[in-house]
Structures are given as structure tokens and as C-alpha cells.
Amino acid sequence: MRILLHDLTVEPEPWLAHLRQAFPQADIAQWQPGAAPADYALVWAPPQQLIDEQPQLKALFHIAAGVDALLQLRLPPGVPLFRLDDAGMAVQMAEYVCQAVIRHFRELPALEQDSRAGRWQQRKPRRRQDCAVGVMGLGVLGRRVLQALSAFEFPLRGWSRTPQRIEGVATWAGPEGLSEFLASTRVLVNLLPLTPETENLLNRRTLGQLQPGGYLINVARGRHLVEEDLLALLDSGHLAGATLDVFRQEPLPPEHAFWREPRITLTPHTSARTLREESLGQIVAKIRALEAGSAPERLGGLVRAHVGY
Ligand code: NAP
Ligand code: GLV
């Protein structure tokens, strides 16, 4: 068996060592142009050349949850494509989103300012019923986030492409359910995949339908958000603030207006990191299952390229 690794974002040696330990008989190498044909490839943002040179792959593993960048390439027909299916990201996303919701709800930025200024100033308690949290995207991450948020008793809403039922969460689906979902939400969490249908979905029209004093938490992809529309809605006072982990251009350029907007909290695409042990544990288990004859459809994380995620 031959396995190739191509990921520009990770130190390759520990990944290669983990794979060599899992498959001692296999030939495991970092991809180079012209590499010999392999059975499996683990990739992140690979060049088209890798895909074109390896049409015989038994499976391609994308070392991330979102596959938008990979689906821009011409992929070999019939090669199953797997993405990371949680792999330790869901709990990280749950802790990040809960802290962002609670930080906003409990007015922590203002309290921190008071503390730095030496001011002892209590604030009027906010009503939990007035802080409905709506999650766009009810997949692996969105569901885990809602499960974690349920501990804090906020009214919970959810929106997905196909109808989903989640206990304790009011749900809507499809373009026909979007306006009602937004109108019932004050804090909006975006956990959609980036597809032609979801690109630029967070814009003046949709964010303008959130309840007044709304708040945006974007932890999916930067291209979901029309950035100047967010600034306009903050200026008009319709939105109270935002926590953003992802941006149209990453790293966020130093001259970008978001750096200077105090109502925006930003982090460098860090809400749910790829964890080596968890990711490789999942990929190794899938390679073993495929080698033992499992159908790809029986394994989690199989990407449906025709729906875009
Ligand atoms: P997932 O399991 O594939 O879930 C996707 C959800 O989005 C599903 O509920 C799906 O609806 C819904 N959806 C897709 N297209 C839609 C549309 N046009 N309208 C309405 N709903 C739509 O994905 P995941 O593992 O939860 O990950 C979600 C995204 O998070 C990834 O694609 C990635 O971009 C992002 N992410 C970000 C970070 C970070 O560090 N910031 C880390 C990991 C992932 P159905 O239920 O009907 O299929
Ligand atoms: C990170 O953004 C991922 O998609 O895994």
C-alpha cells in the first residue's frame, strides 16, 4: 500500500511518523510532482497536478471539515472524497461559540473596560428569553454547538438545507424557511459549508432581518459574509456587534476596517483547529475499513460533491 501526504499547513514529520506506525508495511511519503501512483492521499489545498497525476486513488482524504477549496479542483471521477468528521473539532467549536454568546449576553467587553478603568458598575440583568440563538448549519458542528448551548437555557433556533429535528430547538429549512428563522433570532451563529448557495448569504438583507440589537458569530468561512454590509449594520445600530473567526482574506490585512471596530471581536481562524491524533485516528480507521472491503458510503465524512459539502 502507498500513501501520500500533502498539507502545506502542518509539520509533515509527525504526520508521516504516525502513518508509518499505523501501517508498518506501507510506503508512506510526502507528495512530490511525479510521485509514483498511490492508494490513498491525505491533502489540504493540493495543487491540481496532484489530483491529475493520481487518478487511480482508492480514496482522497481532506484534512479539514470544510471542502470548499478542494471542490474548486477537477477531481477524478469515482474516487471517494472524505472530509474530517468532527475529529475533535466539534467540542472546540462548542466551547468557542458558547464563550462568544456568553461574552455578548453578559456584556463582558463593557465589564472588562470598567475593570481597566477602575469603575465598579453593575449592569441591569438581561433577559435570557430575549436572547434567542440561531445556528445556520445543523451538521456535525452545528448540532454539537446547540447541544452545548442548551445548558444555558437560551431559546434555540436552527436552519439547514433539508428539514432536521432537534429536541429543544425550533428548526426551519431551505430558502423558504430562512426569513422566519432570522426573524426569530437575535444571536446568529454561522456553521454552514461554503457552497454556491451559501456564498454571501450573510448580507444587509439577511442580517437586517435579525431581531434589533442582533449579534453575529461567523465561524464557518469568510466568503459567507459581505463584510461592508456588516459594518453598515453596526453603524446603523441594527447589529450590536460580532465575533468573527474567518475572513474573506486570511490573514486579515492590517489596513482592514475590522481591526479598528471595537464592536468586533476577531480571532485568526482558530475556533476549531485540526488535531493530529484525532484526525489521523479517523483517517487510519477509514483506510483499514476500506482495505477490509467496506463501502465508502458506510463510513462517516463522505463528501457529496454534487451538493457541495
Ligand atoms: P456538515 O456536517 O456538512 O453540516 C453542514 C450543515 O449545513 C448541514 O446541516 C446542511 O444541511 C447545512 N447546509 C448546507 N448547505 C445549506 C444551504 N444551502 N442552506 C441551508 N443549510 C445548508 O458540516 P460541519 O462539519 O458541521 O462543518 C460546517 C462548516 O464549518 C465547514 O464546512 C467549515 O467551513 C466550517 N469550519 C470552520 C472551522 C474554523 O476553525 N473556523 C473549523 C471547522 C469547520 P443538511 O442538514 O440539510 O445537509
Ligand atoms: C477549518 O476551517 C476546517 O474546515 O476544518
Side-chain angles (χ1 to χ4, degrees):
M1 179 165 61
R2 187 169 160 77
I3 304 177
L4 291 174
L5 172 72
H6 177 279
D7 186 339
L8 302 175
T9 66
V10 300
E11 275 280 314
E13 276 315 320
W15 290 71
L16 294 167
H18 185 125
L19 287 167
R20 287 184 182 125
Q21 195 176 21
F23 301 112
Q25 312 298 330
D27 173 12
I28 290 161
Q30 240 187 308
W31 178 78
Q32 307 284 352
D39 299 287
Y40 301 99
L42 281 56
V43 301
W44 187 86
Q48 183 66 49
Q49 187 181 1
L50 184 158
I51 307 290
D52 291 345
E53 286 180 0
Q54 301 284 334
Q56 75 299 322
L57 288 172
K58 294 183 195 167
L60 187 59
F61 292 93
H62 188 51
I63 314 175
V67 286
D68 42 287
L70 194 62
L71 293 183
Q72 302 301 311
L73 301 177
R74 283 185 315 279
L75 296 172
V79 173
L81 166 60
F82 291 95
R83 68 187 188 92
L84 291 181
D85 177 17
D86 184 348
M89 280 191 271
V91 66
Q92 296 178 71
M93 197 55 95
E95 75 198 1
Y96 183 98
V97 171
C98 285
Q99 72 76 31
V101 171
I102 291 166
R103 193 171 158 75
H104 167 62
F105 178 65
R106 297 298 301 265
E107 301 182 81
L108 285 169
L111 290 170
E112 283 164 7
Q113 257 185 359
D114 287 348
S115 139
R116 279 191 295 272
R119 270 195 304 270
W120 179 277
Q121 187 177 309
Q122 288 187 329
R123 279 154 202 273
K124 203 167 149 227
R126 287 178 163 177
R127 281 162 36 95
R128 200 167 297 275
Q129 309 87 288
D130 295 338
C131 186
V133 183
V135 177
M136 304 176 101
L138 303 178
V140 175
L141 303 184
R143 282 175 178 264
R144 182 66 183 80
V145 162
L146 281 162
Q147 183 200 6
L149 282 169
S150 68
F152 303 104
E153 301 177 17
F154 296 109
L156 297 177
R157 292 47 176 120
W159 183 69
S160 51
R161 190 175 59 89
T162 58
Q164 304 288 338
R165 283 169 64 95
I166 304 177
E167 206 186 315
V169 181
T171 56
W172 289 265
E176 60 284 6
L178 182 57
S179 290
E180 217 176 298
F181 161 76
L182 292 168
S184 73
T185 291
R186 199 175 307 273
V187 175
L188 183 67
V189 179
N190 177 33
L191 271 167
L192 292 167
L194 181 67
T195 67
E197 287 73 38
T198 64
E199 182 161 11
N200 298 325
L201 188 62
L202 304 175
N203 56 44
R204 194 183 295 244
R205 188 182 58 78
T206 52
L207 296 175
Q209 293 175 63
L210 292 175
Q211 294 173 351
Y215 193 88
L216 172 67
I217 299 171
N218 187 17
V219 278
R221 286 291 182 264
R223 277 162 55 202
H224 285 126
L225 173 66
V226 181
E227 294 180 338
E228 55 276 21
D229 287 5
L230 170 63
L231 291 169
L233 288 162
L234 289 171
D235 282 347
S236 76
H238 184 69
L239 294 186
T243 291
L244 307 175
D245 185 50
V246 287
F247 304 90
R248 296 189 89 89
Q249 189 182 338
E250 294 180 3
L252 188 66
E255 65 281 6
H256 199 289
F258 284 174
W259 290 111
R260 295 183 302 280
E261 172 47 74
R263 289 164 293 185
I264 293 180
T265 299
L266 59 86
T267 51
H269 200 141
T270 210
S271 51
R273 306 298 306 276
T274 299
L275 304 176
R276 188 178 69 238
E277 298 289 323
E278 287 82 345
S279 303
L280 282 174
Q282 186 173 101
I283 292 169
V284 164
K286 282 179 186 158
I287 292 177
R288 289 201 172 116
L290 291 168
E291 288 293 298
S294 244
E297 301 73 35
R298 293 178 62 93
L299 308 172
L302 185 65
V303 175
R304 295 158 301 165
H306 63 288
V307 288
Y309 63 100

